[in-house]
Each structure stands twice: as C-alpha cells, then as structure tokens.
C-alpha cells in the first residue's frame, strides 16, 4: 500500500519522518526499495543528529547506494511538495570492482549483510538445475541466509532474554549466526540476527508465526520482520 509523507526538507516533515521510522527499517517494504530512494532524494542533505531514526535510515540507504544500489520496487510513496525526477527511480549500481581500501572506507554498521540475486546468478542457477535434471541426479537441498529484525515491547524489555528466546528455537536445518543491537530511538533497541536455513526443511514464515511471536517467546518479542533473504 502506498504511503504519503510530508516534505522531509522541512523541520515538521523531518519530525514526522522520524516518528514514522521509529518502528520501521525501510519506507514501505522489508528491504530497501525505490520508495527509499524517493524519500532519500527529497532530503536536502544528511539530517540533523537530533532525528535519530532518520539518521539511521539515511546513512543505511546512502551506504547501499554507494556500494550496491537498490532494486526493490516498493509499494509507492507520495511526498507532499516534492516531485522526484525520473532518473531517481533507477539509480546506477556502484562498480563492484572498486579497490578493497575504498570499500573499507565506506564501511557502515547498518549496511545490509545480504544483496539481491543478480540476473546472471539466477540464470546460472537455472542452468545448473537443468543440468542436474538432465543427468538424472537428485538435486541437493538449497540453503538461504536470512537477516531478521526482532523488536522489543518497550525500553524495559530485557534484550539478553529476548536473544536467548530467539536462539532457544531449534529445528533441523536451522543455524543461528551473528547478532547485534541497533538503536531505534528513545532508549529502545532492536535485535538484528542472522540465520542460515536449509530451504526444504525450514520455512521462515512458519518459524516466525509458530515460534517467535507466540508464547513463551512473545513475552520478550513484539514483532519479527525479515530484513534480507538471500540464496547461498
């Protein structure tokens, strides 16, 4: 569903955007999309540090545009008093062959840990699957890397117990990885955690609905969102 926002180049618009991003990582979707680019372009520059949530989001999108670009379609966003240029919808993808030193300079804690699967990768995967089928061999189960956003109820939620509740979920084909706490404002932090799953054995939606957002885990977890999903 499309959203309508006030012009973020004004103080009142920035304040509204900061409140909007308090419980969201992106403007309209579970991953960076063209809607984020539209709002990013509407800002006259980096926002003041007093707008904690806008700064977090702005730095994240800025880093993505520098490193790998954004390809998600989003759900549509309208900004009062701002008409995005046509070119904004399809930003150029940064050169992936840039020197390692430059990549280190652009390092950002909020950069997505997983990227979009390219057309070349999809084509190669399809060709491998066709080759396996033609040879009569059984295709091995694929794996995926998933980044989750785990939000607490409030600033009094015990984040250590929240992570323990998440990691206590065990099932065949599921492996929990690295995690970190990300400030979202007003003393509240959310948990970002990676996991690797065997596609044929684990459904991420089922994992969330039947394990992470029901008792006893929901005592420490308000909601759980998929930030990134990448085949490996």
């Amino acid at each position: 569903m499309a959203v309508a926002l006030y012009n973020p180049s004004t103080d009142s618009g920035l304040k509204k955007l900061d409140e909007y991003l308090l419980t969201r990582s992106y403007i309209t979707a579970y991953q960076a999309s063209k809607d984020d680019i539209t709002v990013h372009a509407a800002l006259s520059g980096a926002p003041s540090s007093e707008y904690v949530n806008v700064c977090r989001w702005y730095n994240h999108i800025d880093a993505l545009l520098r490193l790998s670009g954004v390809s998600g379609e989003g759900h549509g966003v309208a900004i009062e008093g701002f008409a995005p240029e046509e070119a904004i919808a399809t930003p150029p993808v940064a050169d992936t062959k840039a020197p390692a030193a430059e990549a280190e300079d652009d390092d950002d804690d909020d950069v997505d840990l997983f990227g979009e699967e390219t057309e070349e990768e999809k084509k190669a995967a399809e060709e491998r699957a066709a080759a396996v089928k033609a040879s009569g061999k059984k295709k091995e189960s694929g794996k995926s890397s998933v980044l989750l956003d785990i939000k607490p109820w409030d600033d009094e939620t015990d984040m250590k117990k929240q992570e323990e509740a998440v990691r206590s979920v065990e099932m065949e084909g599921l492996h929990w990885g690295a995690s970190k706490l990300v400030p979202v404002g007003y003393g509240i932090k959310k948990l970002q955690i990676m996991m690797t799953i065997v596609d044929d054995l684990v459904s991420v939606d089922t994992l969330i609905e039947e394990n992470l957002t029901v008792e006893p885990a929901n005592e420490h977890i308000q909601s759980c969102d998929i930030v990134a999903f990448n085949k490996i």
Side-chain angles (χ1 to χ4, degrees):
M1 180 182 295
V3 300
L5 300 173
Y6 292 98
N7 192 336
S9 63
T10 65
D11 290 339
S12 60
L14 267 177
K15 184 177 180 181
K16 291 288 186 181
L17 181 59
D18 196 64
E19 294 173 353
Y20 179 80
L21 290 171
L22 174 61
T23 58
R24 297 174 176 84
S25 297
Y26 302 105
I27 297 301
T28 61
Y30 291 122
Q31 63 179 18
S33 70
K34 293 177 182 178
D35 295 339
D36 294 277
I37 298 175
T38 299
V39 179
H40 183 277
L43 287 163
S44 56
S48 169
S49 58
E50 67 179 292
Y51 301 106
V52 177
N53 303 309
V54 178
C55 284
R56 164 182 53 78
W57 166 85
Y58 181 91
N59 292 334
H60 178 45
I61 299 303
D62 197 51
L64 284 179
L65 292 176
R66 291 198 311 270
L67 295 176
S68 61
V70 173
S71 59
E73 289 297 328
H75 302 299
V77 59
I79 302 175
E80 182 180 309
F82 175 75
E85 297 179 6
E86 185 67 25
I88 292 175
T90 54
V93 176
D95 185 0
T96 58
K97 297 182 180 180
E102 181 178 339
E104 291 176 0
D105 292 338
D106 289 338
D107 187 31
D108 189 291
D109 287 341
D110 287 331
V111 174
D112 261 344
L113 302 180
F114 311 103
E116 288 283 337
E117 188 175 34
T118 65
E119 290 298 324
E120 291 78 7
E121 291 171 334
K122 292 179 180 178
K123 184 177 179 181
E126 291 173 354
E127 291 176 349
R128 288 196 299 270
V132 171
K133 184 177 181 180
S135 65
K137 296 180 180 179
K138 181 179 179 181
K139 181 182 176 183
E140 295 182 357
S141 297
K143 291 184 179 181
S144 297
S145 292
V146 185
L147 181 63
L148 297 179
D149 247 2
I150 313 291
K151 298 182 179 66
W153 288 102
D154 50 40
D155 59 350
E156 295 183 356
T157 298
D158 189 323
M159 300 304 291
K160 182 178 180 180
K161 290 184 178 180
Q162 184 194 70
E163 182 169 355
E164 289 175 351
V166 173
R167 292 185 181 275
S168 68
V169 177
E170 297 179 352
M171 59 179 64
E172 184 181 1
L174 168 65
H175 175 72
W176 294 107
S179 65
K180 66 176 180 179
L181 294 179
V182 180
V184 296
Y186 304 101
I188 300 175
K189 294 182 179 180
K190 64 181 178 181
L191 173 69
Q192 283 194 339
I193 187 168
M194 291 188 297
M195 66 179 183
T196 302
I197 62 171
V198 176
D199 297 332
D200 291 347
L201 299 178
V202 180
S203 164
V204 180
D205 290 336
T206 301
L207 171 68
I208 293 174
E209 294 172 3
E210 297 184 3
N211 295 275
L212 297 179
T213 54
V214 297
E215 293 183 351
N218 64 357
E219 178 182 351
H220 309 288
I221 299 172
Q222 180 194 59
S223 64
C224 180
D225 299 314
I226 301 172
V227 177
F229 194 110
N230 192 46
K231 298 290 184 181
I232 57 177

